[in-house]
Amino acid sequence: MHTFRLIIACPDRVGIVAKVSNFLATYNGWIHQASHHSDEQSGWFFMRHEIRAESLPFDLEGFKQAFTPIANEFSMTWQVTDSAVKKRVVLMASRESHCLADLLHRWHRNELDCEIPCVIANHDDLRSMVEWHGIPFFHVPVDPKDKEPAFAEVSRLIDEHEADCVVLARYMQILPPDLCQKYHGRVINIHHSFLPSFVGAKPYHQAALRGVKLIGATCHYVTEELDAGPIIEQDVVRVSHRDRVEDMVRNGKDVEKMALARGLRYHLQDRVLIHDNKTVVFD
Amino acid sequence: MHTFRLIIACPDRVGIVAKVSNFLATYNGWIHQASHHSDEQSGWFFMRHEIRAESLPFDLEGFKQAFTPIANEFSMTWQVTDSAVKKRVVLMASRESHCLADLLHRWHRNELDCEIPCVIANHDDLRSMVEWHGIPFFHVPVDPKDKEPAFAEVSRLIDEHEADCVVLARYMQILPPDLCQKYHGRVINIHHSFLPSFVGAKPYHQAALRGVKLIGATCHYVTEELDAGPIIEQDVVRVSHRDRVEDMVRNGKDVEKMALARGLRYHLQDRVLIHDNKTVVFD
Amino acid sequence: MHTFRLIIACPDRVGIVAKVSNFLATYNGWIHQASHHSDEQSGWFFMRHEIRAESLPFDLEGFKQAFTPIANEFSMTWQVTDSAVKKRVVLMASRESHCLADLLHRWHRNELDCEIPCVIANHDDLRSMVEWHGIPFFHVPVDPKDKEPAFAEVSRLIDEHEADCVVLARYMQILPPDLCQKYHGRVINIHHSFLPSFVGAKPYHQAALRGVKLIGATCHYVTEELDAGPIIEQDVVRVSHRDRVEDMVRNGKDVEKMALARGLRYHLQDRVLIHDNKTVVFD
Amino acid sequence: MHTFRLIIACPDRVGIVAKVSNFLATYNGWIHQASHHSDEQSGWFFMRHEIRAESLPFDLEGFKQAFTPIANEFSMTWQVTDSAVKKRVVLMASRESHCLADLLHRWHRNELDCEIPCVIANHDDLRSMVEWHGIPFFHVPVDPKDKEPAFAEVSRLIDEHEADCVVLARYMQILPPDLCQKYHGRVINIHHSFLPSFVGAKPYHQAALRGVKLIGATCHYVTEELDAGPIIEQDVVRVSHRDRVEDMVRNGKDVEKMALARGLRYHLQDRVLIHDNKTVVFD
């Protein structure tokens, strides 16, 4: 279904819903989905509408012009997107293939509504898998003694491919602060622990050492502080004393790829609104 | 928070949301929560609003009068309820205490927003537990050879206690069709299987025989057809070859009471809309 | 770790464990894992040992000879397998790729300890994906008016490739009774419902119609009766009124592939013992 | 079923299982359940047997004498318990009733195989609920400026009631180090977070602040370091942006009581072996 997605965040007050739905009704807009959230603690209001595009008398640009006065009146942070315009997602990987293979397969089978203009990896191992899908693969090795040139090249590639969004599909490198800032709210990472437990390296080893009975994965937006960005999605799986670290790694992979795929889907459908360091996810 | 809850179901068309939110905005109504659902298959639209009562210029009766023209215009099935008026829930039980004890404890600790005017049971075993909570207990034995007098008495008690809702907390008796009809959409049952698997008697025995790896429980509205009414909530728990029937019974109890408590909570907050034999649950 | 796996089922009585562990101790066998199960209802006893191969003075054939007297004494159904000898698994598919792609990827990354001598499919769609993995692909179309020739060819291919095990990775065709019998206990299917609910065709449509709040998948051994064989593994995922059939299909796919991968892993590691129509799974 | 439970931990080597099962077979012991675990990392071996008591020629004391030589030979840490001798569990609580009510109800309905000689609380609120169950209730207020007298009294009460085990059912006070040491491995706590996340006070507030998508509870043995003892059981429940702290508290309660009840059941059945700061749980 071809829809426009209207995403709004603003200070809460009476009349927002009426104003917006009135606007839509005036133009005969058919609301396919609508979700609201009043956050009592912050006093903010969040809203997402999907409106059937063919029911409206204008295109996306026309929508923006018509809606701007309302947005200004309510001091909205807002955007409207066209479901027919696929987001461009650059995937970044390292040697581990499970998340990358999962996303590529979903994309290949039309389960992920996006373009994948390229994959960037710091190792060459996954080239053949990527290229089988007809997607360009760029091997950008990272020199541990001087990472800057690699990240300059990464940044250039992301720009060149006009990425709307970057997904770190177990990329295993920490992005430098300037990249985090430049693509703020548009870089999605999968961390292989149930954050905030086990930040940083080797979370499954940390989990085994602590003797937890569940392990997890966290899909989140990347910020400058490591593994501390707004969480989009999390999931867990049960482990026991029988599970060695390598069993946790294997079982964790399934949780990682599921959490990442769900989180990315939410993002692609403009279901995630970031506020402070938290997310509203209209699933 | 004192709210009015406006629940609407009607054939879908453009302008419903605008009309309703306009109505609310006209009277300066502060929308605390709003949920929509357009069901593509049936072509129906469902909506639930919670509006802060103190923001509105009228009481419940005034609301009803003011809203009726809109409701008529859109052929709505609708109701508006006052969160300050607690629903009256008659609990029915037999000998098994886990669901009853769970609901009583939640009520006692103000977790369930309702009145419990009485408990009716076909055995006397749970009297003391009920009376400790200060709730009248009625023992209405059911003669297997002539159940009619018992159900007449049950019906009389329900009426006398002005029940808005009846909960079969493992009552273990099948309600006669006339009772099902009389309280249509207001009798909630917990069935100890993951319906539609294992309808009827001894579902855990059936589950053990089939060798399933998960067992479940189903909270649903009672209709004349046994275990076939609209489902409100379901949940499952893992079992293995190590679990005998009695282990399934014990583990199943936890699932039963959780599914029932969640389902009842949804009902009490007017979050459940029945359409055909299915439910929309605005959780 | 190189191990021998000793799997035993026999009528329960005193002394089985002692006899077996004595046998192992006599030969200095290092028990890596041991699992027991006494089934009270059937009066049967089940046991699985993993013994470090290098700790034993004989090879698999020698083990069999040495152990046979004990097996006879206790009327055991038993087998011993060598972890170094990979099982040969023929995968069968149709047009849906999610289960096949998942298994191929796990195999490719050494997560599934088996050989995959070939993939057989009744459509040609997935040829390229299979061949990329270096695995032969056989397209055996099934004529709905005369299925016999196709299944004769399927049977021939399975034999020719010396399959220890056949996996129906959403094959979508019902195997004829003679094939079910011939490979009894060695054909694994994934059914896209939480059995015994929704046997047969279009289970997600059935689930949507019934309005269930969880959907599931069932990994089971194939028997002549459709979707009624011994269950190895099941899992579920939550759905709501918002999920259309196509959403259930998409979410169900993830459950299907996870349940199938887990079930197959158990089978490959000789962790599943079939008794009557149920399984003991030593996970 | 009347059983003896034999629990063993010792350095791993060949022949342990044979020796133990031989011992049991010599005396015609009928093994009802047996579980093993070889921990590769630590090189330790763990074992639990349930043996039908009536199949053995001696009582518990006789068993101990007969088994001691084997235990010494293998440097075992071990115990044998009689399933007919119920453990004595002192419950400690504060004002929150959900965990206490849940445990009392399970005990009342014979779901928890133990004696509850008394409940100790630092507030008097729950007296009536406890006394309804026929269990003595001791109110031991804790003076925040001088906690020592209170804990001296707590210690005295635990000793006087000959507790085998103490359960902190949301006791909300930190036990002093000497009490932790005195009852090492015998004090079970429920912490209302998914440890190691959110140690200490107000974990739900911490969780809300971090914006996690799952909240949890952890049942663990108490050690001197706060919330850092060996974990017995954990569980989680999904939350969303719609959940305020009070919703997390309410939903978390259900997870807390379930995790605590399961953890305590494992402990009562001698299924938990502590090694270093981790547990082996033979569930």
Side-chain angles (χ1 to χ4, degrees):
Chain A
M1 190 186 299
H2 184 198
T3 60
F4 288 173
R5 297 166 185 153
L6 176 63
I7 316 298
I8 291 164
C10 63
D12 201 359
R13 64 184 239 213
V14 170
I16 306 172
V17 179
K19 197 78 175 194
V20 173
S21 47
N22 238 5
F23 168 84
L24 295 174
T26 301
Y27 294 104
N28 236 23
W30 185 303
I31 299 172
H32 173 59
Q33 282 191 9
S35 310
H36 305 187
H37 175 60
S38 297
D39 192 77
E40 287 175 60
Q41 214 193 347
S42 65
W44 274 65
F45 179 77
F46 305 88
M47 187 158 48
R48 177 184 185 274
H49 281 89
E50 280 200 54
I51 310 114
R52 297 184 185 218
E54 86 280 2
S55 72
L56 290 168
F58 29 52
D59 62 4
L60 202 68
E61 212 37 61
F63 191 108
K64 283 178 188 169
Q65 284 179 25
F67 191 73
T68 296
I70 294 176
N72 291 342
E73 183 186 343
F74 287 85
S75 306
M76 292 172 176
T77 304
W78 70 291
Q79 59 170 324
V80 59
T81 61
D82 183 338
S83 72
V85 179
K86 295 185 178 192
K87 285 194 174 52
R88 297 172 63 80
V89 180
V90 166
L91 303 180
M92 297 186 68
S94 184
R95 275 185 169 130
E96 285 283 4
S97 64
H98 56 288
C99 285
L100 187 68
D102 185 68
L103 294 180
L104 290 176
H105 181 259
R106 289 177 197 271
W107 170 82
H108 185 61
R109 303 298 286 189
N110 297 315
E111 248 189 64
L112 273 187
D113 195 34
C114 63
E115 307 281 352
I116 302 181
C118 72
V119 172
I120 305 170
N122 62 334
H123 291 282
D124 208 39
D125 310 38
L126 304 178
R127 176 183 295 278
S128 152
M129 174 195 287
V130 171
E131 292 182 347
W132 181 84
H133 288 86
I135 295 172
F137 178 93
F138 297 95
H139 176 205
V140 183
V142 178
D143 178 350
K145 281 172 293 187
D146 182 11
K147 301 190 171 188
E148 223 181 286
F151 286 120
E153 174 65 5
V154 163
S155 181
R156 200 191 59 73
L157 284 167
I158 294 173
D159 286 349
E160 182 185 305
H161 289 86
E162 296 173 4
D164 296 298
C165 168
V166 176
V167 171
L168 308 184
R170 297 297 309 277
Y171 176 57
M172 307 303 280
Q173 294 283 330
I174 299 171
L175 289 198
D178 58 322
L179 267 178
C180 295
Q181 280 160 17
K182 188 172 170 189
Y183 303 105
H184 181 75
R186 296 192 289 144
V187 183
I188 293 174
N189 184 45
I190 181 73
H191 182 71
H192 40 317
S193 86
F194 182 71
L195 290 174
S197 290
F198 312 134
V199 165
K202 293 193 173 291
Y204 293 124
H205 289 78
Q206 296 182 53
L209 208 64
R210 181 61 187 93
V212 292
K213 299 300 183 186
L214 296 165
I215 55 171
T218 304
C219 176
H220 65 97
Y221 289 108
V222 170
T223 57
E224 290 168 69
E225 190 183 344
L226 182 64
D227 300 332
I231 294 172
I232 309 171
E233 172 68 353
Q234 299 187 290
D235 214 341
V236 293
V237 67
R238 198 159 277 274
V239 293
S240 80
H241 58 269
R242 288 186 299 271
D243 291 295
R244 297 155 303 164
V245 170
E246 54 259 46
D247 299 313
M248 291 189 183
V249 168
R250 194 193 62 238
N251 290 326
K253 281 179 183 174
D254 288 331
V255 183
E256 292 165 34
K257 65 193 191 196
M258 297 285 283
L260 176 56
R262 279 202 298 266
L264 177 57
R265 169 184 307 281
Y266 295 146
H267 179 86
L268 293 178
Q269 298 181 343
D270 301 305
R271 295 183 179 279
V272 191
L273 288 77
I274 303 176
H275 188 70
D276 293 338
N277 202 41
K278 296 160 65 171
T279 61
V280 169
V281 180
F282 288 126
D283 62 350
Chain B
M1 189 186 301
H2 183 198
T3 60
F4 288 172
R5 297 167 185 152
L6 176 62
I7 317 298
I8 289 164
C10 63
D12 201 359
R13 62 185 240 211
V14 170
I16 306 172
V17 178
K19 197 80 174 194
V20 173
S21 48
N22 240 6
F23 167 84
L24 295 173
T26 302
Y27 293 105
N28 237 22
W30 185 303
I31 298 172
H32 173 58
Q33 281 190 9
S35 310
H36 305 186
H37 176 59
S38 296
D39 193 76
E40 286 175 60
Q41 214 193 347
S42 66
W44 273 65
F45 180 77
F46 306 87
M47 187 158 49
R48 177 185 185 276
H49 282 89
E50 280 201 54
I51 310 115
R52 297 184 185 218
E54 85 281 2
S55 73
L56 290 167
F58 29 54
D59 62 4
L60 202 68
E61 212 37 60
F63 191 109
K64 284 178 189 169
Q65 284 178 24
F67 191 73
T68 296
I70 294 176
N72 291 342
E73 183 186 342
F74 288 85
S75 307
M76 291 174 175
T77 303
W78 71 291
Q79 59 170 323
V80 59
T81 61
D82 183 339
S83 73
V85 180
K86 295 186 180 194
K87 286 194 174 52
R88 298 171 63 81
V89 180
V90 166
L91 303 180
M92 298 185 68
S94 184
R95 275 185 168 129
E96 286 282 5
S97 63
H98 56 288
C99 285
L100 187 67
D102 184 68
L103 293 181
L104 291 175
H105 180 257
R106 290 177 196 270
W107 170 82
H108 185 60
R109 303 297 285 188
N110 297 315
E111 247 188 64
L112 273 187
D113 195 33
C114 64
E115 307 281 352
I116 301 180
C118 72
V119 172
I120 305 170
N122 62 334
H123 291 281
D124 207 39
D125 310 38
L126 305 177
R127 176 183 296 278
S128 152
M129 173 195 287
V130 171
E131 292 181 347
W132 181 85
H133 288 86
I135 295 173
F137 178 92
F138 297 96
H139 176 204
V140 183
V142 177
D143 179 350
K145 280 173 294 187
D146 181 12
K147 301 189 171 188
E148 221 181 288
F151 286 119
E153 174 64 4
V154 163
S155 181
R156 202 192 57 74
L157 283 167
I158 294 172
D159 287 348
E160 182 186 305
H161 289 87
E162 296 173 6
D164 295 298
C165 166
V166 176
V167 171
L168 307 185
R170 297 296 311 275
Y171 177 55
M172 307 303 280
Q173 294 283 329
I174 299 171
L175 289 197
D178 59 322
L179 267 177
C180 293
Q181 280 161 15
K182 188 172 170 188
Y183 303 105
H184 181 76
R186 296 192 290 142
V187 184
I188 293 174
N189 184 45
I190 182 72
H191 182 72
H192 40 318
S193 86
F194 182 73
L195 289 175
S197 291
F198 312 133
V199 165
K202 293 192 172 293
Y204 293 124
H205 288 77
Q206 295 182 53
L209 207 63
R210 181 60 187 93
V212 293
K213 299 299 183 187
L214 296 165
I215 55 172
T218 304
C219 176
H220 66 98
Y221 289 108
V222 170
T223 57
E224 291 168 66
E225 190 183 344
L226 182 64
D227 299 332
I231 294 171
I232 309 171
E233 172 69 350
Q234 299 187 291
D235 214 342
V236 292
V237 68
R238 199 158 276 274
V239 292
S240 80
H241 59 268
R242 289 185 299 272
D243 291 295
R244 297 156 303 165
V245 170
E246 54 261 45
D247 298 313
M248 291 189 183
V249 168
R250 193 193 64 239
N251 289 328
K253 281 178 182 174
D254 288 330
V255 184
E256 293 166 35
K257 66 193 192 197
M258 298 285 282
L260 177 56
R262 278 202 298 266
L264 178 56
R265 170 184 307 280
Y266 294 146
H267 179 86
L268 293 177
Q269 297 181 344
D270 300 307
R271 295 182 179 278
V272 191
L273 287 77
I274 303 176
H275 188 71
D276 293 338
N277 201 42
K278 297 160 66 171
T279 62
V280 170
V281 180
F282 289 126
D283 61 348
Chain C
M1 189 185 302
H2 183 198
T3 59
F4 288 172
R5 298 167 184 151
L6 176 64
I7 316 299
I8 290 164
C10 62
D12 202 0
R13 62 186 240 210
V14 171
I16 306 172
V17 178
K19 197 79 176 195
V20 173
S21 48
N22 238 5
F23 167 84
L24 295 173
T26 301
Y27 293 104
N28 236 24
W30 185 302
I31 298 172
H32 173 59
Q33 282 191 10
S35 310
H36 305 187
H37 176 58
S38 297
D39 193 76
E40 286 176 59
Q41 214 194 346
S42 65
W44 273 64
F45 179 77
F46 305 88
M47 187 157 48
R48 178 186 184 275
H49 281 89
E50 280 201 53
I51 309 114
R52 296 184 186 218
E54 84 281 1
S55 72
L56 290 167
F58 29 54
D59 62 4
L60 202 68
E61 211 39 59
F63 191 108
K64 283 178 189 170
Q65 284 179 25
F67 191 73
T68 296
I70 294 176
N72 291 341
E73 182 186 343
F74 288 85
S75 307
M76 291 173 176
T77 303
W78 71 292
Q79 58 170 324
V80 58
T81 61
D82 183 339
S83 72
V85 179
K86 294 185 179 193
K87 286 194 173 53
R88 297 172 63 81
V89 180
V90 167
L91 303 181
M92 298 184 69
S94 183
R95 274 186 169 128
E96 285 283 3
S97 64
H98 56 288
C99 285
L100 187 67
D102 184 69
L103 293 181
L104 290 175
H105 181 258
R106 289 178 197 270
W107 170 81
H108 185 60
R109 303 298 284 188
N110 297 317
E111 249 189 62
L112 271 187
D113 195 34
C114 63
E115 308 281 352
I116 302 181
C118 72
V119 172
I120 304 170
N122 61 335
H123 291 281
D124 207 39
D125 309 39
L126 305 177
R127 175 182 296 278
S128 152
M129 173 195 288
V130 171
E131 292 182 345
W132 181 85
H133 288 86
I135 295 173
F137 178 92
F138 297 96
H139 175 205
V140 183
V142 178
D143 178 351
K145 280 173 294 186
D146 181 11
K147 301 189 171 189
E148 222 181 287
F151 287 119
E153 174 64 4
V154 163
S155 181
R156 200 191 61 72
L157 284 168
I158 294 173
D159 286 348
E160 182 186 306
H161 289 86
E162 296 173 6
D164 295 299
C165 167
V166 176
V167 171
L168 308 184
R170 296 298 309 275
Y171 176 55
M172 308 303 281
Q173 294 283 330
I174 299 172
L175 289 198
D178 58 321
L179 267 178
C180 294
Q181 280 161 15
K182 187 172 171 188
Y183 303 105
H184 181 75
R186 296 191 290 143
V187 183
I188 294 174
N189 184 45
I190 181 73
H191 182 72
H192 40 317
S193 87
F194 182 69
L195 290 175
S197 290
F198 312 134
V199 165
K202 293 193 173 293
Y204 293 125
H205 288 78
Q206 296 181 51
L209 206 64
R210 180 62 186 92
V212 292
K213 299 300 184 186
L214 297 165
I215 55 171
T218 303
C219 176
H220 65 98
Y221 289 108
V222 170
T223 57
E224 291 168 68
E225 191 184 343
L226 182 64
D227 299 333
I231 294 171
I232 309 171
E233 172 68 352
Q234 299 187 290
D235 213 341
V236 293
V237 67
R238 198 160 277 274
V239 294
S240 80
H241 58 269
R242 288 186 299 271
D243 291 294
R244 297 155 303 165
V245 170
E246 54 261 45
D247 299 313
M248 291 189 183
V249 168
R250 193 192 64 240
N251 290 326
K253 281 179 183 175
D254 287 332
V255 184
E256 293 166 34
K257 66 193 191 195
M258 297 286 282
L260 177 56
R262 280 202 298 267
L264 178 57
R265 170 183 307 281
Y266 294 147
H267 179 87
L268 293 177
Q269 298 181 343
D270 301 307
R271 296 183 178 278
V272 191
L273 287 76
I274 303 176
H275 189 71
D276 292 339
N277 200 42
K278 296 160 67 170
T279 61
V280 170
V281 180
F282 288 126
D283 62 349
Chain D
M1 190 187 300
H2 183 199
T3 60
F4 288 172
R5 297 167 185 151
L6 176 63
I7 316 299
I8 291 164
C10 63
D12 202 359
R13 62 184 239 212
V14 171
I16 306 173
V17 178
K19 197 78 175 194
V20 173
S21 47
N22 239 6
F23 168 84
L24 294 174
T26 302
Y27 293 104
N28 235 23
W30 184 302
I31 298 172
H32 172 59
Q33 282 191 9
S35 310
H36 306 186
H37 176 58
S38 296
D39 193 76
E40 287 175 59
Q41 214 193 348
S42 66
W44 274 65
F45 180 77
F46 306 88
M47 188 158 47
R48 179 186 185 274
H49 282 89
E50 280 201 54
I51 309 114
R52 297 184 185 219
E54 85 279 2
S55 73
L56 291 168
F58 30 52
D59 62 3
L60 202 68
E61 212 37 61
F63 190 109
K64 283 177 188 169
Q65 285 179 25
F67 191 73
T68 296
I70 294 176
N72 291 343
E73 182 186 342
F74 288 86
S75 307
M76 291 173 176
T77 303
W78 70 292
Q79 60 170 324
V80 58
T81 61
D82 183 339
S83 72
V85 180
K86 295 186 179 192
K87 286 194 173 53
R88 296 173 63 80
V89 180
V90 167
L91 304 180
M92 298 186 68
S94 183
R95 274 185 168 130
E96 285 283 3
S97 64
H98 56 288
C99 285
L100 187 67
D102 184 68
L103 293 180
L104 290 175
H105 180 257
R106 289 177 196 271
W107 171 82
H108 184 60
R109 303 298 285 191
N110 297 316
E111 249 189 64
L112 273 186
D113 195 35
C114 64
E115 308 281 352
I116 301 180
C118 72
V119 172
I120 305 170
N122 62 335
H123 292 282
D124 208 38
D125 309 38
L126 305 178
R127 175 183 297 278
S128 153
M129 174 196 287
V130 171
E131 292 182 345
W132 181 86
H133 288 87
I135 295 171
F137 178 93
F138 297 96
H139 176 205
V140 182
V142 178
D143 178 349
K145 280 172 294 188
D146 182 10
K147 301 190 171 189
E148 222 181 285
F151 287 118
E153 174 65 3
V154 162
S155 181
R156 200 192 59 73
L157 283 167
I158 294 173
D159 286 349
E160 182 186 305
H161 289 86
E162 296 172 6
D164 296 297
C165 168
V166 176
V167 171
L168 308 184
R170 297 295 310 275
Y171 177 56
M172 308 304 280
Q173 295 283 331
I174 299 171
L175 290 198
D178 58 322
L179 266 177
C180 294
Q181 281 160 15
K182 188 174 170 188
Y183 303 106
H184 181 76
R186 296 192 290 142
V187 184
I188 293 173
N189 183 45
I190 181 73
H191 182 72
H192 41 316
S193 87
F194 182 73
L195 290 174
S197 290
F198 312 134
V199 165
K202 292 193 172 293
Y204 293 124
H205 288 77
Q206 295 182 53
L209 207 64
R210 180 60 186 93
V212 293
K213 300 299 183 186
L214 296 165
I215 55 171
T218 303
C219 177
H220 65 97
Y221 289 107
V222 170
T223 57
E224 290 168 69
E225 190 183 343
L226 183 64
D227 299 331
I231 294 171
I232 309 171
E233 172 68 352
Q234 298 187 292
D235 214 341
V236 292
V237 67
R238 198 159 277 275
V239 293
S240 81
H241 59 269
R242 288 186 300 269
D243 291 294
R244 298 157 303 166
V245 170
E246 54 260 47
D247 299 313
M248 291 190 184
V249 168
R250 194 193 63 237
N251 290 326
K253 281 179 183 175
D254 288 331
V255 183
E256 292 166 35
K257 64 192 191 195
M258 297 286 282
L260 177 55
R262 278 202 298 265
L264 178 56
R265 169 184 307 280
Y266 294 146
H267 179 86
L268 293 177
Q269 298 181 343
D270 300 306
R271 295 182 179 279
V272 190
L273 288 76
I274 303 176
H275 188 71
D276 292 337
N277 201 42
K278 296 160 67 170
T279 62
V280 169
V281 180
F282 288 126
D283 62 350

